[in-house]
Amino acid sequence: SSGINAEWPLRPGMLNNAPCTFGCWISENWPARKLWVFQNGAPNLDYLHKEFGHCKASVTNFNDSSESDCKEQAISEFICYWKKLLGQSDESIQDFPVKDFHNLPHYLKDWHFAKTSLPETVYNVPEIFSDDWLNRYWKSREDVDDDYIFSYFGPAGSFTPFHADVFRSYSWSINVCGYKKWLIVYPGEELKLGPTLTLNVEQQCIERNVKHEILIQGPGQGIFVPSGWWHQVLNIADTISINHNWANFHCVPRMWQYLNSELCLVEKEISDCRDLMDDAEWFDQCQLVLRANIGLDFSEFLQFIVVNLHHLSISDCDSLLNELAIKKKMSDKFPLLKNKCLENVLKNLNRLYSVYDVMEFVREHRMTLAGAFKS
């Protein structure tokens, strides 16, 4: 039987880090379900061209070496390309691609539509996904204009290769129209696979007894993808979806574990430079490489925790910090930060070392930090 739970309450799904699917009720009141789609279920490309053609988004395609290329493109230009594809093939697309990747349709991804249009004119975030620590943090920052709120435009046959989501966050995806085929691999099972870029992942899952699930997602339906579940996705019809990467109380320990595991890889990768630096220089360099590799470092992770602290009860906060401190790392090599005032805390975020337990630091300063972010 399938390990994907249809209409399973999401909180147990998060506690167990298990996938969950949702029926069309999840998006029944979305304006995009009517405005972006014809009555026959096809995407209303003329409407999208008129309303959003001036916007820009990332468009991916595969080159002759089966490597993914990405470029920024106006939505109007992509829609003109998409229209040329309509009706070119009557063949039903059901199988994940395993060759000739350069012939696959281009795929418009990561359009930050909430930056250029009022979100309520497109969709509303389902209540079960509303406690979103990740996007709350990015929206709180004044130094960058970013979020993890996207729309994807996928012609039939377009494809997202095998991957796990950014920062090992959660994600949810809801189809405005069209159909997606998902292959989702249980955590740790991906280690049984070989190189996945040109690999028939579905076949290898069968041959190597990799525990996985296949799911077809239809119009209006949603899926919750837990932290660390590797997956690939095929648009088996012309498809538009809205997707969030997100995180909450239950996801943060897995993000922290991922951050530490990636730091270990960085330290190993540049270990030949260790003797050339003192401890502080070594930390700074490792954090610089870590952020370049995954887009997040310890300083930002601590800020991410701080911004979300005051949304927790005291008991939930203590519970989270206890969980994050399970694999506590302490060392007398590095001094503790002694000044508890907020100004000094924020100024010294980049001085938190890999061997210092970040969550113990947050515990010590929790009331000061949480109080400051309430104002």
Side-chain angles (χ1 to χ4, degrees):
S1 62
S2 173
I4 306 294
N5 294 277
E7 310 296 343
W8 199 33
L10 187 62
R11 184 174 174 85
M14 290 185 291
L15 287 171
N16 296 307
N17 204 43
C20 185
T21 59
F22 303 89
C24 296
W25 61 267
I26 196 77
S27 62
E28 62 183 353
N29 295 319
W30 284 13
R33 291 287 315 281
K34 299 179 176 64
L35 297 175
W36 293 17
V37 185
F38 287 120
Q39 287 188 344
N40 66 0
N44 188 338
L45 299 184
D46 290 334
Y47 175 85
L48 294 169
H49 187 287
K50 177 182 176 182
E51 295 295 322
F52 308 114
H54 63 283
C55 300
K56 292 187 176 182
S58 298
V59 175
T60 63
N61 64 287
F62 294 91
N63 59 32
D64 292 340
S65 300
S66 297
E67 297 172 334
S68 180
D69 288 334
C70 182
K71 64 179 180 180
E72 189 176 65
Q73 191 174 56
I75 288 180
S76 58
E77 183 179 350
F78 181 81
I79 287 177
C80 290
Y81 162 81
W82 195 353
K83 284 183 175 181
K84 294 177 182 178
L85 298 179
L86 299 179
Q88 285 190 2
S89 175
D90 296 328
E91 297 180 8
S92 176
I93 299 170
Q94 297 294 331
D95 298 324
F96 291 107
V98 296
K99 60 181 181 179
D100 298 330
F101 286 87
H102 61 283
N103 290 327
L104 294 177
H106 299 180
Y107 197 173
L108 187 146
K109 296 183 178 183
D110 298 351
W111 171 35
H112 295 262
F113 67 90
K115 292 183 181 180
T116 55
S117 59
L118 293 174
E120 59 268 24
T121 65
V122 175
Y123 81 133
N124 53 73
V125 177
E127 178 64 28
I128 49 180
F129 304 131
S130 61
D131 185 23
D132 184 348
W133 288 30
L134 193 61
N135 286 296
R136 181 185 294 141
Y137 165 62
W138 285 103
K139 289 178 181 179
S140 75
R141 294 184 56 170
E142 297 180 354
D143 59 321
V144 294
D145 180 21
D146 206 358
D147 60 35
Y148 285 86
I149 300 170
F150 312 113
S151 183
Y152 284 22
F153 291 7
S158 54
F159 168 69
T160 298
F162 198 59
H163 70 286
D165 284 318
V166 61
F167 312 143
R168 296 304 181 265
S169 63
Y170 296 145
S171 66
W172 61 261
S173 177
I174 296 175
N175 284 354
V176 175
C177 63
Y179 291 83
K180 293 178 183 284
K181 178 180 179 180
W182 293 73
L183 183 150
I184 306 178
V185 171
Y186 285 71
E189 293 288 296
E190 73 279 358
L191 299 176
K192 298 179 182 179
L193 300 171
T196 57
L197 182 60
T198 57
L199 173 71
N200 187 331
V201 176
E202 187 171 8
Q203 180 181 339
Q204 289 292 315
C205 283
I206 296 170
E207 293 177 351
R208 301 191 182 193
N209 197 29
V210 174
K211 191 175 182 182
H212 68 287
E213 305 288 348
I214 298 291
L215 173 72
I216 303 298
Q217 176 191 12
Q221 297 176 348
I223 181 170
F224 163 67
V225 181
S227 172
W229 286 63
W230 285 69
H231 51 282
Q232 65 181 26
V233 188
L234 172 70
N235 293 309
I236 58 178
D238 291 327
T239 303
I240 297 175
S241 64
I242 288 177
N243 315 284
H244 281 212
N245 287 106
W246 67 298
N248 64 10
F249 178 92
H250 303 288
C251 186
V252 171
R254 294 184 174 89
M255 294 176 65
W256 176 234
Q257 182 182 28
Y258 170 67
L259 204 64
N260 276 278
S261 65
E262 289 295 307
L263 179 64
C264 289
L265 295 177
V266 168
E267 291 174 337
K268 182 177 180 181
E269 177 186 350
I270 63 172
S271 59
D272 57 331
C273 302
R274 179 64 181 95
D275 293 340
L276 303 176
M277 308 178 194
D278 62 27
D279 291 336
E281 290 170 336
W282 173 247
F283 169 76
D284 288 342
Q285 185 61 38
C286 288
Q287 291 294 308
L288 187 67
V289 176
L290 178 67
R291 195 183 191 290
N293 285 355
I294 67 170
L296 189 68
D297 60 19
F298 276 35
S299 170
E300 289 177 307
F301 184 78
L302 180 55
Q303 294 179 44
F304 161 74
I305 293 293
V306 167
V307 166
N308 287 284
L309 275 180
H310 71 270
H311 293 272
L312 291 180
S313 66
I314 296 298
S315 60
D316 278 347
C317 184
D318 284 340
S319 174
L320 173 63
L321 298 178
N322 280 328
E323 185 169 0
L324 290 171
I326 288 174
K327 296 183 177 179
K328 184 176 177 182
K329 297 180 180 179
M330 295 293 288
S331 172
D332 55 10
K333 290 182 181 178
F334 307 112
L336 301 181
L337 300 178
K338 296 178 181 178
N339 190 332
K340 293 187 178 182
C341 76
L342 179 63
E343 180 180 357
N344 190 67
V345 169
L346 295 179
K347 184 173 65 176
N348 286 285
L349 285 176
N350 66 335
R351 308 307 300 172
L352 291 171
Y353 297 97
S354 62
V355 295
Y356 181 71
D357 182 4
V358 173
M359 290 307 103
E360 187 67 21
F361 177 83
V362 175
R363 179 191 294 277
E364 181 179 352
H365 298 281
R366 171 164 58 85
M367 298 309 296
T368 302
L369 295 173
F373 276 88
K374 286 181 181 179
S375 59

